[in-house]
Amino acid sequence: MNGNEFGRLFRMTTYGESHGEAMGCTVSGVPAGVELSEEEIQKDLDRRKPGQSMITTSRGEPDKVAINSGIQDGYTTGTPIGMVIQNKDARSGKYEPFITAPRPSHGDYTYSAKFGTRNWGGGGRSSARETVNWVAAGGVAKQVLEQSDYDVQIKAHVCQIGDVEAGPVTFEDMLEHSEENEVRCADPEAAEEMRDVADQHQKEGDSIGGAIYFECRGVPSGLGAPRFDSFPSRLGQAMYSIPAVNDFEYGIGREARTTKGSEYTENWEFDEDGHPTPAGNDHGGIQGGITTGQPIYGEVSWHAPVSIPKTQETVDWETGEGKEITVTGRHDPVLPPRAVPVVEAMLACTVLDFMLLGGRINPDRLDGRPGEYDTDYHPSSPQNDPEDADTHAKTIDDD
């Protein structure tokens, strides 16, 4: 099975199924000298994990991450970083009716048609549980960006659930308010209405779609290559990879189809540092597929979850019969609230990959000092510390 890697230089390779023993990923391309905190990665995993509120699945997963390679004394060594997250609360019994009778609008039939088999518990590899790996990798990417010479800031919030849309919010509003409510919307009044919409659909045994607005500041100009490696094409790949995403747009997005050229074009002017900058940002920080240095922003939309207890119809290819089914179990009535950290993670991975590809961050070492070996983050020999004699490595002459 291919398609399990993302990125060019900053590359994550993931593994695991929803009801398998564990989820995990290997992240390669992380420069040496990054002070990597497991606790910081865990913070984002806690934002994504199930069981946070009544509008998320009740599956009881702690999603505790363990880093098992790629660091020494708390610093990255430049070698691949391995992370694992154990599955603790898998209950596959409720999925047995769908082994040969695929759930409507899921990946059950298509996976079986492609491979001739599949891991059916919890949806297996097609489950959105796999995004736990992406959030872990994004947690690494965020720490690299935070410790670089660039002030890159990334934030997202739920801007719509059903017919309820958030009002205008600033980047500062998102930073301050989006984590104050279960919906993760930076508009408190809209958040209450969104929660009511989610609750109502859940009571009716149904679900509803929604959208997330994202913004990234501090990205330098000149990132991305024309055509197939343009910044929006790679970012689009990242966002469309998220399960249940139906639409991705940046800048003014779909409004561009009804906007005149004279309105969409943006004159050039000098910024406060004397550098050319567009006199607006309808392009979402990207022109010609390359970043302009202005904020990158856009929206991602999700369809309603299709694991719902309402009666649906399917066919069983083993018995040749049509069947009525209800998908019982633990499922989210709306997806964007838990998807906010997933969007932020994929944006961080994309930005960091372009920063490494463009030489803005040294891909070998964060301090950018090639050839210098006596660094603050190099491990010290215990033999040079008389007070640490108990840790000395014994030689063959020691008795």
Side-chain angles (χ1 to χ4, degrees):
M1 178 182 184
N2 55 9
N4 300 301
E5 293 185 340
F6 179 80
R8 300 286 196 274
L9 286 184
F10 182 84
R11 179 178 297 178
M12 69 168 170
T13 305
T14 73
Y15 70 87
E17 295 82 32
S18 179
H19 287 190
E21 181 177 338
M23 313 300 292
C25 65
T26 301
V27 179
S28 58
V30 179
V34 179
E35 191 171 7
L36 192 62
S37 166
E38 203 171 81
E39 290 73 21
E40 288 300 311
I41 298 172
Q42 190 63 52
K43 288 179 182 178
D44 280 338
L45 290 172
D46 288 345
R47 296 168 63 216
R48 194 221 71 96
K49 73 180 182 181
Q52 299 177 41
S53 70
M54 294 302 293
I55 58 170
T56 65
T57 170
S58 59
R59 180 172 173 175
E61 294 289 353
D63 283 353
K64 178 67 175 176
V65 66
I67 300 175
N68 49 34
S69 68
I71 58 173
Q72 176 70 43
D73 298 334
Y75 288 89
T76 58
T77 61
T79 57
I81 295 171
M83 293 180 284
V84 64
I85 299 128
Q86 298 293 328
N87 289 331
K88 298 291 187 179
D89 190 26
R91 305 175 191 177
S92 299
K94 293 182 181 295
Y95 292 86
E96 289 180 356
F98 315 124
I99 296 177
T100 57
R103 295 167 296 168
S105 299
H106 285 73
D108 297 352
Y109 170 73
T110 53
Y111 266 61
S112 291
K114 180 175 179 62
F115 300 108
T117 185
R118 76 177 192 280
N119 185 309
W120 49 267
R125 183 70 176 162
S126 66
S127 171
R129 171 141 187 79
E130 208 271 312
T131 61
V132 71
N133 296 320
W134 311 4
V135 174
V140 174
K142 285 182 179 180
Q143 292 184 63
V144 178
L145 291 170
E146 287 168 0
Q147 295 175 46
S148 74
D149 294 332
Y150 296 86
D151 185 22
V152 175
Q153 299 181 73
I154 293 170
K155 196 70 188 89
H157 86 122
V158 176
C159 61
Q160 184 170 355
I161 290 181
D163 293 332
V164 180
E165 296 185 49
V169 297
T170 65
F171 188 74
E172 289 69 29
D173 288 334
M174 290 195 292
L175 292 173
E176 185 174 352
H177 299 300
S178 63
E179 299 297 321
E180 292 179 345
N181 54 75
E182 297 168 343
V183 180
R184 289 202 169 88
C185 174
D187 178 348
E189 293 183 5
E192 292 184 14
E193 296 182 47
M194 291 177 183
R195 174 62 194 265
D196 291 341
V197 169
D199 285 341
Q200 186 60 37
H201 283 82
Q202 191 172 41
K203 291 175 183 177
E204 296 171 354
D206 215 329
S207 59
I208 189 65
I212 289 174
Y213 171 86
F214 64 84
E215 190 167 330
C216 181
R217 297 193 168 194
V219 176
S221 60
L223 298 185
R227 309 305 176 219
F228 302 116
D229 264 340
S230 73
F231 195 96
S233 66
R234 293 272 306 282
L235 185 58
Q237 179 196 5
M239 297 306 169
Y240 275 121
S241 298
I242 303 172
V245 165
N246 266 28
D247 188 44
F248 159 75
E249 56 185 281
Y250 68 94
I252 64 172
R254 287 169 293 177
E255 293 180 24
R257 72 185 73 175
T258 58
T259 301
K260 295 185 293 185
S262 58
E263 298 169 336
Y264 187 65
T265 187
E266 294 171 344
N267 296 325
W268 288 94
E269 59 186 17
F270 288 110
D271 64 16
E272 58 186 18
D273 296 320
H275 302 301
T277 186
N281 195 19
D282 284 350
H283 301 80
I286 303 165
Q287 291 190 18
I290 300 171
T291 57
T292 65
Q294 292 180 299
I296 298 166
Y297 67 92
E299 290 188 10
V300 189
S301 298
W302 278 257
H303 64 66
V306 289
S307 291
I308 54 176
K310 286 186 178 293
T311 300
Q312 302 175 65
E313 295 184 1
T314 187
V315 293
D316 190 323
W317 68 70
E318 197 166 61
T319 66
E321 300 173 337
K323 289 185 176 180
E324 285 190 346
I325 63 170
T326 57
V327 182
T328 59
R330 304 162 295 174
H331 306 288
D332 298 73
V334 62
L335 299 174
R338 286 180 62 209
V340 167
V342 181
V343 168
E344 293 174 357
M346 295 309 290
L347 184 52
C349 289
T350 303
V351 170
L352 176 57
D353 196 28
F354 275 116
M355 296 277 273
L356 294 169
L357 286 165
R360 307 306 177 89
I361 297 176
N362 188 313
D364 292 330
R365 48 195 296 173
L366 193 64
D367 60 14
R369 299 161 57 199
E372 296 193 27
Y373 51 86
D374 189 10
T375 63
D376 293 337
Y377 54 89
H378 195 288
S380 296
S381 172
Q383 292 189 346
N384 297 329
D385 185 357
E387 296 182 0
D388 199 18
D390 290 341
T391 67
H392 292 181
K394 292 187 179 297
T395 69
I396 58 175
D397 295 324
D398 290 334
D399 292 322

